[in-house]
Structures are given as structure tokens and as C-alpha cells.
Amino acid sequence: MGRKIIGLTGAFGSGVSFLAEHFFKNKGYECCSLSKFLREKYKEKHGEDAPNRKALQEFGNRLREDDPSILAKEVDKIIAKDSQSNFVIESIRNPAEINYFRENHTEFILIGIFAEYDVRWGRVRETYNGSKDLFDADERKDQGKTEPKYGQKISDCFFESDLILSNNKEINPGNPNEAYKEMDSKITAYLKSLDEPINSNPTLVETLMAAAYTSGRRSKCIKRKVGAVIADKYDRIISSGFNGVPRTLQECITMKGECYRDIERERLAKELCGELQLESEDTAVELVKGKIKLLEKCRALHGEENAIMNLVGRGVDLTDSTIYVTTYPCNLCANKIVQAGIKKVVYFEPYPVEEAKEILKKGGVETESFEGVTFRAFFKFFKYEA
């Protein structure tokens, strides 16, 4: 592949900066940080360091408002001065930054770093003086569901990843433990795969998640395309599904010209605006969209639902079966997964739904975050001989 430019993205506490410093830098990569540049700009403007993460987040939003890729452009000035070295760019938090690097560097690879919520909280709790409420507030802002287009949107960035690395174990770089050796081995293997894609092979999980993504591409949903495949206990695909309206019904884009659920949420927002005597209708709309899902108003069957319902009446035994999903099941789908007898969920999602996690846990369903090469970069890491 020649020189490599690696981008890292992940939720706060997932270990993005840690991995850049202790693994990629140790492999000869020049390290660039968007967060470092942001902190420098804050100090330059205010004459002091940002007092907390929230202040830095809001400053970053204002900085990106006119040009969402401004931080990427500043870091690229460093890369432009050295056309030979490998670079790792950490703290990517907006899709515009990813798009900029992809458009300007064909060798760019984005790695999403995943760590469970409890693991991340344990790593940063001292930063918040033990206040989980403050952490959760920053977490919601970081996730980006109620943020403007130019704000921090880790969830959207994660779905753009070419490779996912799980970083739940405690790594000791000073006295390399098994977790350190395991992470180092994984990163080395994936970098080698980029250099020798013809000699590399996908894992079973990578192959099945790629199939789930392929299924999801059939969706005509305006908001999001989700795919799912169910594999039996012998790892054979027995069903697939994607999110979409039931047969014979019109898609939302055809019937309404936009998402039906969004129409209903806007209607509810206007009602709230009148009842609560809010001055800004726009504020009410954003509040409703950010806080109220109205899943019952969605006209589509979810990918998991379709995959399960495709097996109705076929007498298929789902004992020890696994469902691979390109997101994390919602509460409704979690109920159906438990009821169907599926025993494992492999998911692609940086912010799993806590209520759904509880349903699956109590239903005896094992959950596993996806790790490996994603559908987006499948043929960069694995190639067939011509």
C-alpha cells in the first residue's frame, strides 16, 4: 500500500489518544491530534486552557461552524510537509473531517476504537470527580444526536470506519502485559494485511457482517440503512433482512416525500410549543427529535425483524443461532430476538441502547461488539488475485 495515513475515532474514554501514542507512534508513525490543535486555538483566543470538556466541545463547534473540516485542513498542513512518513491522526469527531482526508489522501484508513460504557467511565471518572451525570452530558454531546451538522458526531464517524478495534482490556505499556501484546499483535496484523491484501483472509465475523451490510444496502429508508443476517449453529446464513416498509406498501419518500416519523415528531413539537408556551418552535422541534423516538410511528420493519420473520412457517431451529446487525437492536427488536431463541448478537454500534442491552442480558442472549475490517474497506484489506 505504500505510506499509510491512519485516522482514529472513538467515544471519550475509548483510548484513541492512548493507542496513537503507545502503538502507532512506536511503529514509526508521526502523531497528529485534532484535539491538540483545538486546545491550542482555545488558549490562543482565551489566554488560558479550556476549563472543562464541555467548554472545549462548544468552542470546537463554533470553530467548525463555517467550515466543518477546518481542523482536518490544519492537520493536513503538517502532513503536506512530509510526503514519505506514515501518519496517525487522532480525535476525529466530525464526518466532514473524514471526508476531507478521504478526498485528499487515497491511502487514508479510518479506525474506530470501541470500549464499553462502564470501561470508559472507569477510565475517566477522576476527570469528572466521580460525577456520572457530567460524564453522561458530555457523552450525549459527543455522540451528536442533538448536535448541529458541524458539531461532534462520534456515532456518525464510527459508522464511517474501515476497521474496528475493541479496547476494553487494561493495557500496561510500561510493563507489557497480555492485553498489550494482544493489541500490538492485532494492529500489526491489520497493517500487514493492507500491505499484502492478496495474502490476507477475512475472519468469519468479518464475512458475515459484510453480508449484513450488503443486505442493508437494499433498504430505501431515508434516515438509515440497517442490515441483518442470521447464521445457524454451523455458521451458515439462513436468513437476511433490511429495514423497510411491509410488502405492497409505499415507501415514505414516495408517499410523503420525507420520513413519516419526522413528520409526526414535528407535529408533536408544534403541539408542545403551544401547550408549554415556548417562544421558539425550532427549539421544540430539536427537543422532540433529540429526546422522543416515536418508534411506534415508524412505518418500517427493522432489519432484525425482517430477518426473523423471513423464517416464519419454515420450521427453522434457531437454537444457538447468531444474528449479525449493522447497528444495535432497539428495545422492540431485542424482545423479538429473545422470543425467537437467538442466542447471540454481534453488533456494529458505538453507543448500544442500555434498555435493549438489559432485555438481551435478562433473556440470556450474548452480545458482542464487532471487531475487524468493515464492509467499507473489505477489498482494501482482502483482494482476489486478478
Side-chain angles (χ1 to χ4, degrees), residues 28-101:
Y29 280 71
E30 296 294 327
C31 189
C32 297
S33 171
L34 273 64
S35 288
K36 181 181 178 182
F37 175 78
L38 184 61
R39 288 193 294 270
E40 290 172 352
K41 295 296 287 184
Y42 185 97
K43 189 170 185 177
E44 180 184 309
K45 182 175 178 61
H46 296 89
E48 60 182 1
D49 293 331
N52 51 49
R53 184 174 177 79
K54 181 180 179 181
L56 197 62
Q57 287 174 326
E58 292 176 350
F59 177 73
N61 282 5
R62 292 193 296 272
L63 198 65
R64 284 188 297 258
E65 187 169 358
D66 293 330
D67 182 1
S69 62
I70 187 171
L71 297 178
K73 289 176 180 177
E74 289 297 324
V75 166
D76 199 30
K77 291 176 183 177
I78 300 172
I79 297 173
K81 294 177 182 178
D82 185 350
S83 61
Q84 302 300 316
S85 297
N86 294 325
F87 282 87
V88 59
I89 306 159
E90 56 116 328
S91 302
I92 292 176
R93 297 185 175 280
N94 186 281
E97 296 161 352
I98 300 168
N99 294 336
Y100 175 85
F101 286 119

XYZ file of all heavy atoms in Angstrom, residues 28-101:
604
model
N 6.647 3.911 14.384
C 7.246 4.886 13.484
C 6.287 5.879 12.872
O 6.679 6.666 12.002
N 5.035 5.895 13.328
C 4.047 6.832 12.786
C 4.222 8.213 13.425
O 4.452 8.317 14.632
C 2.625 6.336 13.063
C 2.146 5.279 12.103
C 2.673 3.991 12.144
C 1.167 5.556 11.151
C 2.246 3.008 11.272
C 0.725 4.585 10.275
C 1.277 3.312 10.332
O 0.847 2.347 9.450
N 4.114 9.241 12.603
C 4.067 10.602 13.112
C 2.656 10.853 13.648
O 1.669 10.551 12.971
C 4.389 11.608 12.000
C 5.801 11.486 11.440
C 6.863 11.836 12.455
O 6.596 12.717 13.309
O 7.946 11.218 12.428
N 2.558 11.374 14.853
C 1.252 11.529 15.502
C 0.742 12.966 15.402
O 1.450 13.907 15.758
C 1.366 11.118 16.958
S -0.222 11.030 17.809
N -0.477 13.120 14.884
C -1.142 14.421 14.811
C -2.458 14.333 15.579
O -3.160 13.328 15.490
C -1.431 14.815 13.366
S 0.024 15.024 12.338
N -2.798 15.389 16.302
C -4.020 15.382 17.109
C -4.896 16.578 16.782
O -4.460 17.728 16.911
C -3.665 15.398 18.596
O -4.817 15.599 19.384
N -6.143 16.300 16.369
C -7.093 17.388 16.142
C -7.451 18.065 17.453
O -7.644 19.280 17.501
C -8.355 16.858 15.454
C -8.326 16.804 13.916
C -7.271 15.818 13.419
C -9.692 16.416 13.361
N -7.532 17.280 18.524
C -7.850 17.847 19.840
C -6.745 18.771 20.333
O -7.017 19.817 20.931
C -8.074 16.731 20.864
O -9.286 16.069 20.632
N -5.496 18.399 20.075
C -4.376 19.235 20.484
C -4.446 20.591 19.786
O -4.263 21.641 20.410
C -3.052 18.541 20.168
C -1.829 19.344 20.584
C -0.539 18.619 20.211
C 0.682 19.463 20.584
N 1.950 18.794 20.195
N -4.732 20.551 18.486
C -4.855 21.806 17.740
C -6.007 22.640 18.290
O -5.900 23.859 18.436
C -5.077 21.511 16.253
C -5.330 22.737 15.434
C -4.294 23.567 15.051
C -6.622 23.081 15.069
C -4.533 24.716 14.304
C -6.872 24.223 14.322
C -5.818 25.048 13.930
N -7.124 21.972 18.633
C -8.284 22.665 19.172
C -7.953 23.326 20.503
O -8.338 24.482 20.751
C -9.445 21.682 19.342
C -10.783 22.254 19.812
C -11.314 23.277 18.818
C -11.796 21.127 20.003
N -7.233 22.605 21.366
C -6.845 23.171 22.659
C -5.922 24.381 22.488
O -6.034 25.375 23.211
C -6.165 22.099 23.513
C -7.111 21.033 24.057
C -6.449 20.198 25.126
N -5.357 19.394 24.580
C -5.501 18.171 24.098
N -6.704 17.602 24.083
N -4.469 17.500 23.624
N -5.027 24.270 21.518
C -4.119 25.396 21.247
C -4.880 26.625 20.770
O -4.577 27.754 21.180
C -3.073 24.975 20.206
C -2.058 23.968 20.745
C -1.158 23.423 19.654
O -1.423 23.715 18.456
O -0.193 22.698 19.986
N -5.878 26.407 19.901
C -6.678 27.529 19.391
C -7.498 28.159 20.517
O -7.697 29.373 20.553
C -7.605 27.060 18.261
C -6.896 26.587 17.011
C -6.117 27.699 16.322
C -6.998 28.690 15.609
N -6.234 29.707 14.862
N -7.986 27.311 21.428
C -8.758 27.829 22.568
C -7.875 28.729 23.431
O -8.279 29.841 23.815
C -9.305 26.671 23.402
C -10.225 27.113 24.530
C -11.602 27.085 24.362
C -9.705 27.580 25.745
C -12.453 27.502 25.385
C -10.540 28.002 26.761
C -11.917 27.963 26.583
O -12.746 28.390 27.585
N -6.678 28.249 23.746
C -5.772 29.026 24.597
C -5.345 30.313 23.909
O -5.211 31.362 24.548
C -4.546 28.178 24.947
C -3.658 28.815 25.998
C -2.600 27.834 26.481
C -1.782 28.450 27.623
N -0.785 27.500 28.154
N -5.149 30.229 22.587
C -4.768 31.407 21.812
C -5.849 32.479 21.883
O -5.560 33.677 21.993
C -4.526 30.989 20.360
C -4.113 32.090 19.420
C -3.985 31.579 17.989
O -3.297 30.547 17.792
O -4.577 32.188 17.073
N -7.105 32.054 21.861
C -8.226 33.000 21.869
C -8.560 33.497 23.272
O -8.875 34.682 23.470
C -9.468 32.350 21.251
C -10.677 33.287 21.163
C -11.829 32.626 20.435
C -13.056 33.539 20.393
N -12.801 34.799 19.677
N -8.486 32.613 24.282
C -8.945 32.959 25.629
C -7.810 33.243 26.619
O -8.062 33.693 27.734
C -9.826 31.845 26.195
C -11.093 31.635 25.435
N -11.173 30.777 24.356
C -12.336 32.182 25.578
C -12.407 30.778 23.882
N -13.137 31.624 24.602
N -6.575 32.942 26.211
C -5.449 33.207 27.089
C -5.274 32.200 28.201
O -4.449 32.398 29.109
N -6.026 31.121 28.184
C -5.924 30.069 29.194
C -6.461 28.763 28.631
O -7.130 28.752 27.586
C -6.724 30.453 30.439
C -8.210 30.664 30.165
C -8.977 31.093 31.405
O -8.361 31.244 32.465
O -10.204 31.264 31.297
N -6.162 27.662 29.307
C -6.661 26.357 28.877
C -8.167 26.277 29.094
O -8.718 26.965 29.974
C -5.982 25.234 29.665
C -4.497 25.115 29.341
O -4.124 25.457 28.209
O -3.730 24.703 30.231
N -8.829 25.435 28.294
C -10.272 25.220 28.477
C -10.519 24.636 29.865
O -9.829 23.688 30.273
C -10.806 24.282 27.396
N -11.475 25.169 30.623
C -11.712 24.696 31.999
C -12.266 23.280 32.080
O -12.099 22.597 33.086
C -12.707 25.714 32.551
C -13.414 26.254 31.337
C -12.370 26.275 30.265
N -12.969 22.860 31.038
C -13.548 21.513 31.045
C -13.832 21.064 29.613
O -13.655 21.821 28.657
C -14.838 21.463 31.881
C -15.816 22.564 31.483
O -16.104 22.766 30.300
N -16.324 23.277 32.479
N -14.261 19.829 29.516
C -14.502 19.242 28.191
C -15.657 19.935 27.467
O -15.616 20.147 26.249
C -14.797 17.742 28.356
C -14.961 16.997 27.035
C -15.104 15.501 27.276
N -15.338 14.794 26.031
C -14.390 14.483 25.156
N -13.145 14.821 25.395
N -14.682 13.838 24.043
N -16.690 20.302 28.211
C -17.846 20.957 27.603
C -17.446 22.262 26.927
O -17.881 22.557 25.801
C -18.923 21.216 28.656
C -20.175 21.864 28.097
C -21.215 22.108 29.190
C -22.454 22.791 28.607
N -23.468 23.066 29.658
N -16.608 23.063 27.593
C -16.161 24.339 27.027
C -15.385 24.110 25.739
O -15.538 24.861 24.758
C -15.297 25.089 28.041
N -14.566 23.056 25.722
C -13.783 22.745 24.525
C -14.685 22.261 23.396
O -14.485 22.615 22.226
C -12.733 21.688 24.861
C -11.578 21.530 23.860
C -10.768 22.809 23.756
C -10.678 20.369 24.283
N -15.700 21.454 23.741
C -16.657 20.975 22.743
C -17.380 22.145 22.084
O -17.519 22.203 20.855
C -17.679 20.035 23.395
C -17.134 18.671 23.756
C -18.159 17.844 24.525
O -18.964 18.373 25.303
N -18.152 16.542 24.320
N -17.852 23.074 22.892
C -18.604 24.211 22.359
C -17.720 25.135 21.537
O -18.156 25.674 20.511
C -19.256 24.974 23.510
C -20.367 24.177 24.188
C -20.955 24.877 25.400
O -20.377 25.908 25.830
O -21.987 24.394 25.919
N -16.461 25.288 21.955
C -15.519 26.092 21.177
C -15.264 25.428 19.821
O -15.200 26.095 18.785
C -14.207 26.253 21.948
C -13.153 27.016 21.190
C -13.259 28.386 21.006
C -12.051 26.354 20.654
C -12.292 29.092 20.307
C -11.080 27.049 19.951
C -11.202 28.422 19.777
N -15.114 24.090 19.838
C -14.915 23.350 18.592
C -16.086 23.511 17.642
O -15.904 23.642 16.429
N -17.297 23.520 18.195
C -18.491 23.723 17.367
C -18.466 25.081 16.675
O -18.765 25.197 15.485
C -19.752 23.609 18.225
C -20.121 22.164 18.519
O -19.386 21.247 18.168
N -21.232 21.962 19.181
N -18.119 26.112 17.444
C -18.064 27.459 16.865
C -16.980 27.553 15.788
O -17.173 28.200 14.762
C -17.809 28.492 17.965
C -18.976 28.662 18.941
C -18.807 29.902 19.800
N -17.636 29.827 20.663
C -17.636 29.288 21.866
N -18.752 28.744 22.364
N -16.533 29.268 22.610
N -15.868 26.867 16.025
C -14.755 26.898 15.077
C -15.124 26.198 13.769
O -14.743 26.633 12.673
C -13.534 26.220 15.708
C -12.163 26.501 15.074
C -11.811 27.967 15.229
C -11.097 25.627 15.737
N -15.919 25.105 13.879
C -16.289 24.331 12.690
C -17.540 24.852 11.988
O -17.907 24.342 10.924
C -16.519 22.864 13.081
C -15.266 22.058 13.337
C -15.605 20.585 13.520
N -16.436 20.379 14.687
C -15.995 19.914 15.848
N -14.723 19.606 16.008
N -16.824 19.757 16.862
N -18.203 25.842 12.568
C -19.496 26.264 12.033
C -19.407 26.712 10.570
O -20.248 26.343 9.751
C -20.074 27.395 12.881
C -21.492 27.774 12.485
C -22.149 28.699 13.481
O -21.511 29.015 14.519
O -23.302 29.101 13.243
N -18.419 27.507 10.232
C -18.277 27.978 8.851
C -17.618 26.946 7.947
O -17.876 26.907 6.743
C -17.464 29.283 8.820
C -18.202 30.441 9.472
O -19.448 30.443 9.418
O -17.542 31.320 10.036
N -16.756 26.122 8.524
C -16.056 25.103 7.750
C -15.850 23.874 8.630
O -14.905 23.819 9.420
C -14.704 25.636 7.261
C -13.953 24.615 6.410
O -14.493 23.511 6.185
O -12.822 24.921 5.975
N -16.719 22.852 8.535
C -16.626 21.670 9.391
C -15.308 20.899 9.281
O -14.969 20.128 10.170
C -17.806 20.797 8.916
C -18.772 21.765 8.323
C -17.920 22.815 7.663
N -14.567 21.118 8.196
C -13.305 20.388 8.017
C -12.082 21.224 8.385
O -10.956 20.850 8.065
C -13.178 19.907 6.565
O -13.141 21.005 5.663
N -12.282 22.338 9.073
C -11.174 23.249 9.359
C -10.054 22.588 10.159
O -8.865 22.829 9.908
C -11.678 24.527 10.086
C -10.529 25.532 10.223
C -12.306 24.198 11.434
C -10.975 26.895 10.719
N -10.385 21.748 11.127
C -9.356 21.084 11.928
C -8.557 20.108 11.068
O -7.332 20.001 11.208
C -9.987 20.350 13.111
C -10.722 21.214 14.139
C -11.328 20.343 15.231
C -9.782 22.229 14.757
N -9.247 19.397 10.183
C -8.574 18.455 9.282
C -7.606 19.199 8.361
O -6.491 18.735 8.095
C -9.608 17.682 8.463
N -8.022 20.350 7.880
C -7.162 21.143 6.988
C -5.909 21.623 7.702
O -4.813 21.652 7.112
C -7.952 22.328 6.433
C -9.018 21.930 5.425
C -9.842 23.132 4.971
C -10.898 22.710 3.957
N -11.770 23.834 3.549
N -6.048 22.001 8.961
C -4.887 22.463 9.716
C -3.892 21.325 9.932
O -2.684 21.504 9.789
C -5.332 23.043 11.067
C -6.050 24.370 10.966
C -5.154 25.465 10.390
O -3.934 25.467 10.679
O -5.669 26.326 9.650
N -4.388 20.149 10.284
C -3.516 18.992 10.478
C -2.877 18.573 9.158
O -1.713 18.156 9.113
C -4.308 17.819 11.108
C -3.525 16.512 10.999
C -4.625 18.115 12.565
N -3.621 18.720 8.071
C -3.092 18.315 6.762
C -1.899 19.164 6.335
O -1.087 18.740 5.514
C -4.204 18.400 5.709
C -3.889 17.572 4.467
O -3.196 16.546 4.602
O -4.322 17.964 3.366
N -1.790 20.355 6.887
C -0.626 21.196 6.591
C 0.655 20.520 7.083
O 1.718 20.646 6.462
C -0.785 22.571 7.249
C -1.882 23.433 6.640
C -2.032 24.741 7.416
C -3.179 25.584 6.857
N -3.379 26.838 7.643
N 0.548 19.807 8.193
C 1.691 19.075 8.740
C 2.027 17.891 7.847
O 3.190 17.641 7.516
C 1.385 18.586 10.167
C 1.098 19.778 11.085
C 2.536 17.742 10.718
C 0.600 19.394 12.459
N 0.985 17.175 7.408
C 1.180 16.003 6.553
C 1.783 16.403 5.209
O 2.638 15.704 4.652
C -0.162 15.275 6.345
C -0.689 14.746 7.684
C -0.019 14.129 5.347
C -2.074 14.154 7.621
N 1.365 17.557 4.692
C 1.837 18.018 3.383
C 3.337 18.290 3.366
O 3.980 18.230 2.306
C 1.077 19.272 2.967
N 3.898 18.574 4.524
C 5.332 18.877 4.594
C 6.202 17.628 4.539
O 7.426 17.725 4.378
C 5.630 19.649 5.880
C 5.003 21.038 5.931
C 5.295 21.709 7.266
C 4.624 23.077 7.344
N 4.849 23.734 8.670
N 5.604 16.454 4.696
C 6.348 15.193 4.726
C 5.595 14.151 3.910
O 4.629 13.554 4.387
C 6.526 14.731 6.174
C 7.397 13.497 6.300
O 7.721 12.880 5.266
O 7.752 13.143 7.441
N 6.015 13.935 2.716
C 5.303 13.025 1.806
C 5.754 11.574 1.946
O 5.262 10.701 1.225
C 5.492 13.471 0.353
O 6.875 13.451 0.008
N 6.681 11.297 2.865
C 7.229 9.944 2.998
C 6.744 9.219 4.250
O 6.520 8.012 4.234
C 8.767 10.006 3.017
C 9.388 10.641 1.786
C 9.040 9.906 0.508
O 9.078 8.666 0.460
N 8.689 10.649 -0.533
N 6.566 9.951 5.329
C 6.256 9.313 6.624
C 4.822 8.807 6.703
O 3.919 9.312 6.030
C 6.496 10.307 7.768
O 7.844 10.688 7.831
N 4.622 7.804 7.544
C 3.281 7.358 7.907
C 2.752 8.271 9.013
O 3.510 8.701 9.881
C 3.310 5.920 8.417
C 3.694 4.928 7.337
O 3.348 5.098 6.180
N 4.424 3.885 7.720
N 1.451 8.552 8.984
C 0.849 9.434 9.981
C -0.339 8.755 10.653
O -1.082 8.001 10.009
C 0.363 10.735 9.336
C 1.450 11.720 9.046
C 2.161 11.670 7.855
C 1.789 12.707 9.971
C 3.178 12.573 7.579
C 2.799 13.623 9.708
C 3.495 13.557 8.509
N -0.530 9.042 11.930
C -1.754 8.656 12.632
C -2.386 9.946 13.138
O -1.732 10.788 13.756
C -1.476 7.667 13.790
C -0.519 8.241 14.822
C -2.789 7.245 14.446
N -3.673 10.129 12.827
C -4.415 11.337 13.186
C -5.478 10.944 14.198
O -6.379 10.170 13.895
C -5.087 11.963 11.947
C -4.065 12.197 10.849
C -5.799 13.258 12.311
C -4.683 12.334 9.472
N -5.351 11.455 15.395
C -6.311 11.064 16.433
C -7.314 12.164 16.726
O -7.124 13.312 16.379
C -5.574 10.635 17.704
C -4.623 11.658 18.262
C -5.036 12.133 19.628
O -6.247 12.184 19.901
O -4.132 12.493 20.408
N -8.422 11.751 17.362
C -9.505 12.654 17.788
C -10.336 13.192 16.625
O -10.755 14.346 16.635
C -8.949 13.820 18.617
O -8.256 13.351 19.744
N -10.606 12.364 15.635
C -11.535 12.738 14.567
C -12.956 12.624 15.110
O -13.351 11.579 15.619
C -11.341 11.838 13.328
C -9.973 12.145 12.694
C -12.467 12.023 12.335
C -9.632 11.250 11.522
N -13.748 13.721 14.993
C -15.049 13.760 15.653
C -16.190 14.268 14.772
O -17.316 14.399 15.238
C -14.959 14.628 16.925
C -14.000 14.059 17.932
C -13.981 14.828 19.233
N -13.128 14.162 20.207
C -13.480 13.115 20.940
N -14.692 12.625 20.824
N -12.637 12.560 21.790
N -15.906 14.556 13.525
C -16.968 15.026 12.626
C -16.774 14.390 11.256
O -15.639 14.319 10.756
C -16.932 16.551 12.521
C -18.100 17.093 11.711
O -18.082 17.055 10.484
N -19.123 17.593 12.385
N -17.854 13.905 10.623
C -17.732 13.243 9.317
C -17.057 14.097 8.249
O -16.421 13.561 7.332
C -19.192 12.944 8.946
C -19.888 12.826 10.259
C -19.240 13.843 11.147
N -17.179 15.429 8.353
C -16.540 16.300 7.364
C -15.024 16.148 7.402
O -14.347 16.279 6.376
C -16.937 17.755 7.610
N -14.480 15.866 8.580
C -13.040 15.648 8.718
C -12.629 14.362 8.009
O -11.592 14.320 7.337
C -12.679 15.597 10.199
C -12.943 16.914 10.919
C -13.032 16.816 12.427
O -13.046 15.686 12.958
O -13.106 17.869 13.085
N -13.461 13.336 8.137
C -13.202 12.061 7.451
C -13.251 12.263 5.941
O -12.368 11.811 5.200
C -14.228 11.000 7.884
C -14.149 10.761 9.387
C -14.027 9.699 7.114
C -15.298 9.949 9.945
N -14.297 12.944 5.476
C -14.449 13.179 4.041
C -13.265 13.949 3.476
O -12.800 13.664 2.359
C -15.750 13.941 3.761
C -16.984 13.127 4.087
O -16.931 11.895 4.097
N -18.100 13.782 4.364
N -12.779 14.920 4.250
C -11.640 15.705 3.773
C -10.416 14.813 3.555
O -9.766 14.875 2.507
C -11.301 16.822 4.769
C -10.060 17.583 4.367
C -10.132 18.641 3.467
C -8.799 17.209 4.851
C -8.981 19.320 3.063
C -7.653 17.876 4.451
C -7.754 18.934 3.563
O -6.614 19.586 3.151
N -10.106 13.980 4.542
C -8.928 13.123 4.417
C -9.106 12.085 3.308
O -8.149 11.779 2.583
C -8.619 12.434 5.744
C -8.029 13.348 6.783
C -8.681 13.569 7.994
C -6.832 13.997 6.548
C -8.137 14.419 8.944
C -6.283 14.856 7.494
C -6.941 15.072 8.696
